[in-house]
Amino acid sequence: VNYNQAHLLIQLQELSTTEDREQLLQQIATVDFELINFLYNKKCKNEVQINTVEEVPKQQDKIEPFPNNQIQKIKNLTPTQRQEYRTHGLNLIKNNKVGVLLLAGGQGSRLGFEHPKGMYNISLPSNKTLFQIFAERIRRVAELAGNPSKLLPWYIMTSSVNHEETKQYFWDNNYFGFNDEYIKFFPQASLPAIDLNGKVILETASSLFMAPNGNGDMYEALLRNGIIDDMNNKGVEYIYVVGIDNILGKLADPTCLGYCAKNDFQIVSKWVPKISPTESVGIHVLRNGQPSIIEYSEISKEQATEVNSEGELVFTHSNILNLVLRRDFIQAAADAFKGDPEGSYHVAKKKITYYDRESKTQVKPTQSNGIKFELFMFDAYPLAKSMGLFEVIRAEEFAPIKNAPGSKEDSPDTARELVAQLHYSWLKNAGVSIAGIPSSEANSLCEVSPLVSYEGEGLEKVASRNKGVELQLPIPVSYTHLTLPTIYSVQISVVAVSLKKK
């Protein structure tokens, strides 16, 4: 009542079963209503202006491009430098100094898949899910480092929505070849969504609408779940962070790790050049002299179209959520967020499905009706003593899966085509003769198992075993089938996904 949430008490009284009342009461007991009330009053404007739900404006920020001496461009990276970085990174992996953090708190709802997004299968020939592909990619890079028997520590950040299902999925699939001691699952925190009047939204008659509080909770979540202690105990110094959305995301990329370590950076974030001045992506910049990421809409048209002497966009360094964080930075960020729990939240106005108490039905709104509060990972970047940017090729490392099948951008179809094109190029570069052009269609796919190749290496055996033969698409390449099968119906599976841990 003190926090303008009396409707929840009324709803409790109206529930007809003890089970429903207990469910709602338990959920209410987990909510920090003081924080929710504070955020609503501080972060949102008054009721007359609430329809915009913008954050209280700050002083005009000074936005500048990232310093050139902290940016590694592909064209300026010599083969010798690349090899030095890669070798150094592989040594870090071999000496157990590297862990992997996968941000996997999202559901596949926008894909029409009501399960953890990591369980989604984009219909490659192998029918592997995102989780399996990432697991095999880690296993391959450990093998390249000369340490195949001792895999990298793998930390998977889930959410309250998918934590248990994610854990069960890995159990059911024997952890995809990992020792379960080397995989740690931990949930990020959740906060209830509120309506435009600050009232907590009911999702059903007996549950609140709870939402993950953004990837910025990563730092505190690592701390409160004992993950930072686990890193310390295992001697991990570098954490490689990748989002579950990007099927081409390299986990523990040795070249990027080496660049980070050799230049003594606390953070290195990968980037790709913007396709156009108006591309809707986050951009690495300096905000008031400190490293940050902004939305393209936060810079002026003049800044967005500004070019340098070489004709390149000045504000071009797109964020692809693929980065290296040093452990000491993670600790500092966790301490800072813990010391300022309210100040770092951002406001997001959303369309939120809600339970209508009058009609006693669930309603899907057609326009934004609620507010979520989120933490952003990059808000901690100013705490870093040093930060660098590392350019990669978009077609090799960025295939996001955000929109429903059939969408023209960032969909399972576009991701499938990008995978097929990349793996086709790997095989062609290795000397394999292939008829046809790869696409997203089932009969034109090309897939190389992550256990066979991490970034195109080691495929010469495929060429030598098929010398003089022109292979036909679709082509799946398994680590146990280096002679390429040409029949699409062949199911390639590295781990028997029905195998359950005994």
Side-chain angles (χ1 to χ4, degrees):
V1 176
N2 292 337
Y3 300 111
N4 192 33
Q5 307 296 337
H7 66 294
L8 299 180
L9 298 179
I10 297 172
Q11 180 63 22
L12 268 173
Q13 295 171 349
E14 293 180 352
L15 292 173
S16 58
T17 70
T18 301
E19 183 180 357
D20 284 347
R21 285 194 294 271
E22 287 181 352
Q23 177 180 317
L24 182 55
L25 190 59
Q26 287 175 4
Q27 206 170 25
I28 290 173
T30 67
V31 176
D32 186 343
F33 288 104
E34 185 173 356
L35 174 61
I36 294 296
N37 193 52
F38 175 87
L39 292 174
Y40 177 72
N41 289 326
K42 180 180 179 181
K43 296 287 186 177
C44 300
K45 293 182 177 181
N46 61 51
E47 291 184 16
V48 175
Q49 299 169 304
I50 194 67
N51 286 332
T52 60
V53 190
E54 297 172 352
E55 296 184 39
V56 176
K58 305 174 183 178
Q59 280 188 321
Q60 184 63 40
D61 289 332
K62 182 179 181 181
I63 305 299
E64 300 173 287
F66 220 83
N68 286 329
N69 63 353
Q70 294 171 235
I71 300 174
Q72 179 64 66
K73 293 186 176 181
I74 291 174
K75 66 181 181 181
N76 297 332
L77 185 63
T78 68
T80 300
Q81 283 178 311
R82 178 177 288 278
Q83 187 57 47
E84 286 178 355
Y85 289 149
R86 188 173 187 273
T87 299
H88 192 72
L90 288 172
N91 283 332
L92 289 173
I93 294 170
K94 183 177 182 179
N95 293 318
N96 308 310
K97 300 299 183 184
V98 179
V100 172
L101 172 58
L102 182 65
L103 305 180
Q107 290 287 88
S109 303
R110 292 175 65 179
L111 308 174
F113 182 72
E114 297 301 328
H115 300 281
K117 185 175 281 189
M119 291 171 58
Y120 191 75
N121 163 17
I122 70 166
S123 298
L124 290 169
S126 67
N127 284 313
K128 293 172 185 174
T129 65
L130 294 173
F131 278 140
Q132 183 172 353
I133 288 169
F134 285 140
E136 293 178 0
R137 203 164 283 158
I138 296 173
R139 291 174 61 187
R140 174 60 180 171
V141 79
E143 182 182 3
L144 290 173
N147 200 9
S149 61
K150 192 170 184 180
L151 298 174
L152 287 69
W154 189 9
Y155 307 107
I156 301 177
M157 188 169 82
T158 62
S159 66
S160 59
V161 177
N162 68 12
H163 182 71
E164 293 302 326
E165 189 173 6
T166 297
K167 288 175 63 178
Q168 185 63 48
Y169 178 71
F170 273 79
W171 171 273
D172 291 343
N173 290 284
N174 204 34
Y175 296 94
F176 298 107
F178 275 73
N179 184 320
D180 59 2
E181 293 180 4
Y182 270 76
I183 297 184
K184 303 289 185 184
F185 302 92
F186 66 101
Q188 66 184 105
S190 294
L191 287 176
I194 60 175
D195 66 20
L196 303 184
N197 295 310
K199 294 182 181 295
V200 170
I201 294 175
L202 287 161
E203 183 175 19
T204 68
S206 58
S207 65
L208 309 179
F209 191 104
M210 302 294 291
N213 64 346
N215 60 27
D217 184 57
M218 174 190 77
Y219 306 108
E220 267 201 270
L222 289 168
L223 181 64
R224 65 175 173 263
N225 289 285
I227 304 299
I228 294 179
D229 288 340
D230 188 76
M231 295 174 187
N232 287 328
N233 293 336
K234 288 185 169 74
V236 172
E237 296 179 5
Y238 297 90
I239 293 296
Y240 206 100
V241 185
V242 176
I244 191 68
D245 290 339
N246 181 12
I247 195 171
L248 291 182
K250 285 186 180 179
L251 297 92
D253 178 4
T255 308
C256 189
L257 281 163
Y259 171 72
C260 181
K262 277 190 164 290
N263 289 282
D264 197 28
F265 289 124
Q266 282 193 311
I267 306 174
V268 167
S269 183
K270 286 187 174 181
W271 66 280
V272 296
K274 290 179 66 175
I275 293 175
S276 70
T278 57
E279 184 184 6
S280 180
V281 291
I283 313 163
H284 295 91
V285 298
L286 293 186
R287 186 196 295 268
N288 301 324
Q290 300 292 333
S292 185
I293 292 176
I294 63 171
E295 294 302 318
Y296 81 100
S297 57
E298 293 184 68
I299 58 176
S300 66
K301 183 178 179 181
E302 290 72 24
Q303 287 177 309
T305 56
E306 183 182 357
V307 296
N308 59 24
S309 59
E310 297 177 351
E312 302 167 332
L313 292 172
V314 171
F315 292 93
T316 189
H317 310 103
S318 302
N319 174 42
I320 62 171
L321 193 52
N322 187 303
L323 64 156
V324 182
L325 301 177
R326 224 165 61 188
R327 192 189 67 212
D328 56 350
F329 166 76
I330 292 175
Q331 181 70 64
D335 292 341
F337 272 71
K338 185 177 180 181
D340 181 24
E342 302 96 354
S344 301
Y345 277 94
H346 297 259
V347 172
K349 189 177 180 184
K350 302 282 187 179
K351 288 186 287 188
I352 298 172
T353 300
Y354 66 96
Y355 174 75
D356 182 72
R357 294 180 55 243
E358 291 186 7
S359 65
K360 300 188 184 305
T361 59
Q362 197 175 60
V363 178
K364 290 188 176 182
T366 57
Q367 58 185 8
S368 298
N369 64 315
I371 302 166
K372 294 181 182 179
F373 296 109
E374 299 175 330
L375 295 167
F376 295 159
M377 185 192 305
F378 58 77
D379 281 334
Y381 288 1
L383 299 172
K385 297 174 183 177
S386 56
M387 178 175 175
L389 302 183
F390 191 83
E391 184 184 8
V392 296
I393 297 173
R394 183 184 289 253
E396 295 180 356
E397 298 201 31
F398 193 46
I401 305 168
K402 296 180 180 294
N403 301 320
S407 302
K408 293 182 179 180
E409 294 182 351
D410 300 345
S411 71
D413 310 285
T414 58
R416 190 166 59 249
E417 182 165 2
L418 287 167
V419 170
Q421 290 173 346
L422 176 62
H423 291 187
Y424 174 89
S425 71
W426 288 357
L427 291 168
K428 293 285 283 187
N429 290 339
V432 178
S433 179
I434 306 173
I437 302 297
S439 73
S440 63
E441 299 301 319
N443 61 357
S444 299
L445 290 173
C446 183
E447 180 188 13
V448 176
S449 166
L451 289 173
V452 173
S453 184
Y454 180 79
E455 52 189 353
E457 80 292 335
L459 295 175
E460 294 76 17
K461 290 181 181 179
V462 178
S464 64
R465 293 188 183 188
N466 292 274
K467 190 173 182 180
V469 177
E470 186 177 60
L471 299 164
Q472 302 291 323
L473 296 172
I475 300 173
V477 183
S478 164
Y479 84 114
T480 56
H481 296 78
L482 289 180
T483 300
L484 301 178
T486 56
I487 302 175
Y488 179 73
S489 61
V490 173
Q491 174 88 15
I492 303 299
S493 179
V494 176
V495 178
V497 295
S498 62
L499 179 64
K500 295 190 177 182
K501 192 176 180 67
K502 302 296 184 183

